């Protein structure tokens, strides 16, 4: 029996609503089970070519921007940034909203950057005003940042930075700096306007808003970023993450031929194309998709409010739409809530931020969970949350 | 409908007989289409734990050796070696049998190694005698190599190095050097005795003898290698490939708990476990598996001989058992043979080694193609080769 999308159904399982990996459609999983193809075959070249082009579309990036799709996790995106765009001793500025800002700094330092940071307090994001003040001071001290990193949604706390406004501030006060957006937990669940916002690098992974299994690192670099790379004096600090190796490969596949540096993960790329097809070519539109993420998010956050619980993001306007992080009432542990939810067939996540790790839970609602109402995932999340807290003897005050 | 292994059949496709990716079983593909799981869920922890343990078994490595399974291609294995085991200016020796030796050298140099090489001529491998001579000379010059790399099967030419004998020579003449085996195109298709041969690092990928889709970099390091890493003075040269990051993660999953550095590729790891299960727990045994690869290889090489064609490996004893590289008669191009084979439903590969790229073809016969006689893959390869050359008007002389 050969399977079509119509007949394949994934195995029954608990509903996965952590902030990635996320629920994946049957069609995407079936693509991930495609029979082996040669990575240089005409069929796969077309699959990869389309995938690279559609990644640009999801980000509203111009066709002059350079996409990279590489076997690796989202973490590899930091190496792709740092190993190619920083040379020994150059200055980088990290807008640090949490766990992932710390890690990006660590990665930049590995490749020789001197890193400064603007630190947001727990539950906050760095604001455009804070950044403007910092950059004005830096200018007066004759400091110049080679690049500035923004964590869009910090998955550790669910805060969402105002990437558009931050990018504007950078363009005004530090136009020479490359603008790097860590969008692992926001691509395809939050609006990102690569060209309009003047971004130079967006990095993400396959297992969040893009609705695929994990295993792909996905980046888009601006023409300006590629030029900065091409003019670097030293060799890139990494071998596997070197654009010197990857640029000819990506350009070949983009132009409809094959080139080799490392065997591309053919099945995952085929799965990604299926997901991109559904994101870009079917209803809802990309704009509607972002709206549906907001609506689903609002429903879950309203339920949290209804329970009288506090969210980790302090300002509702700086809260991600693909996940919700919630402080627990005194006397209730993350393990207890995770356990109750699990008994109801839902998998949620505990805390990650070191300062409050044992005091909050995280719920993911990206991709089909947020967009496909017929699945009823958001209903299940809301209902199970209410029941779980009731089971734990907690009453909204 | 929920699918079991018994009902899932992959899509009809041309038989993929390049030297990786290879044909993958329905059971492995079905695992690759598993519903999403959290990377920290108890179920996935058990899957990853078993996978890491079974990787050691395939290599006859002791439980004290350290396995790594990381999202990436086989190429990343070079970074894992060079970024963790080499410090600035240290000396490495590359036993260069072809394309992949050149690349390993490039990677080692990226991370600061000073690289020397012993170069085999095209179609040859570095012999134990050559290596002994080189190491004796090096000793007399008071040179000491931090590590020595062996490409087991160089996929560009199909030569197979005598890893066991080379390792013995290193232990005798340069016992302080770590022995690194690039086994991308040999793990699970050629015998590798990690412990008995005294290897310090074996690196491979998922899409060759291990019978999985591409996307996993798989390494095993000896206790000695880990100790060398732990005693290094400088930080590892890469972030994504840093053992400082990965060791706690791998150790956690090995001990039955989860830890986070980067989201593991859950589906691919589930698929790898299914393949390892079939390799280690069902008939044929691992030893028989290697024998079956030899038998399949012998049949294909005999057919090539019967056509009066010359193989790229000069010595039959230094020829891989998972692939065959064949020089073409004058007047016949790789594209023509690839095209004829393709018309018969078989995908083979052209040349890769820069010196003779347009003069030979490569055929892969690893995994289920070599082992599962009932598939009839080897019969199809032999028959289609004979017919293709006949179609091209070539008669055995």
């Amino acid at each position: 029996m050969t399977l079509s999308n119509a007949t394949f159904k994934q195995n029954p399982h608990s509903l996965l609503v952590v902030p990635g990996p996320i629920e994946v459609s049957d069609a995407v999983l079936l693509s991930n089970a495609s029979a082996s193809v040669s990575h240089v075959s005409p069929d796969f070249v077309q699959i990869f070519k389309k995938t690279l082009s559609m990644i640009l579309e999801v980000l509203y990036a111009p066709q002059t921007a350079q996409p990279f799709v590489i076997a690796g996790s989202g973490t590899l995106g930091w190496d792709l940034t740092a190993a190619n765009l920083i040379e020994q001793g150059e200055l980088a500025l990290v807008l640090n909203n949490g766990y992932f800002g710390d890690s990006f700094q660590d990665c930049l330092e590995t490749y020789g950057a001197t890193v400064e940071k603007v630190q947001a307090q727990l539950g906050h994001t760095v604001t455009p005003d804070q950044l403007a003040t910092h950059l004005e001071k830096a200018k007066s001290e004759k400091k110049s940042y080679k690049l500035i990193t923004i964590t869009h949604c910090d998955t550790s706390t669910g805060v969402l930075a105002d990437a558009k406004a931050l990018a504007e501030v950078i363009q005004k006060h530090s136009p020479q700096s490359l603008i790097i957006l860590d969008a692992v937990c926001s691509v395809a669940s939050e609006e990102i306007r690569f060209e309009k916002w003047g971004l130079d690098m967006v990095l993400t992974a396959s297992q969040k808003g893009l609705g695929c299994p994990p295993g792909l690192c996905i980046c888009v670099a601006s023409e300006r970023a590629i030029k900065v790379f091409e003019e670097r004096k030293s060799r890139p600090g990494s071998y596997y993450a070197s654009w010197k190796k990857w640029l000819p490969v990506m350009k070949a596949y983009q132009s409809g031929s094959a080139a080799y540096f490392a065997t591309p993960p053919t099945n995952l790329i085929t799965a990604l194309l299926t997901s991109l097809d559904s994101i870009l070519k079917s209803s809802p539109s990309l704009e509607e998709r972002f709206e549906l993420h907001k609506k689903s998010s609002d429903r879950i956050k309203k339920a949290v409010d209804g329970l009288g619980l506090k969210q980790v993001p302090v300002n509702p306007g700086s809260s991600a739409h693909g996940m919700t992080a919630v402080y627990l009432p005194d006397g209730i542990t993350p393990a207890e809530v995770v356990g109750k939810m699990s008994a109801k067939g839902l998998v949620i996540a505990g805390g990650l931020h070191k300062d409050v790790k044992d005091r909050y839970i995280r719920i993911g609602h990206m991709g089909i969970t947020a967009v496909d109402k017929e699945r009823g995932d958001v209903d299940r999340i809301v209902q199970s949350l209410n029941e779980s807290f009731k089971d734990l003897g907690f009453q909204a005050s």
Side-chain angles (χ1 to χ4, degrees), chain A residues 38 45 90 103 118 146 170 178 224 235 239-240 274 279 304 310 315 337-338 340 366 373 383:
Chain A
S38 164
V45 168
E90 287 181 337
S103 303
V118 185
K146 180 78 173 285
I170 297 169
L178 296 171
R224 180 167 83 139
R235 72 194 290 173
Y239 184 79
Y240 187 65
T274 299
I279 289 171
V304 166
K310 217 175 87 180
N315 304 314
V337 184
V338 168
K340 286 289 173 198
M366 286 171 266
K373 270 189 201 167
Q383 191 184 335

Side-chain angles (χ1 to χ4, degrees), chain A residues 97-100 153-158 312 323 325 351-353 360 362:
Chain A
N97 301 333
Y99 179 94
F100 291 91
C153 164
D154 196 295
T155 322
S156 69
T157 60
V312 180
M323 66 172 288
L352 183 60
H353 194 292
Y360 73 110
R362 296 177 300 149

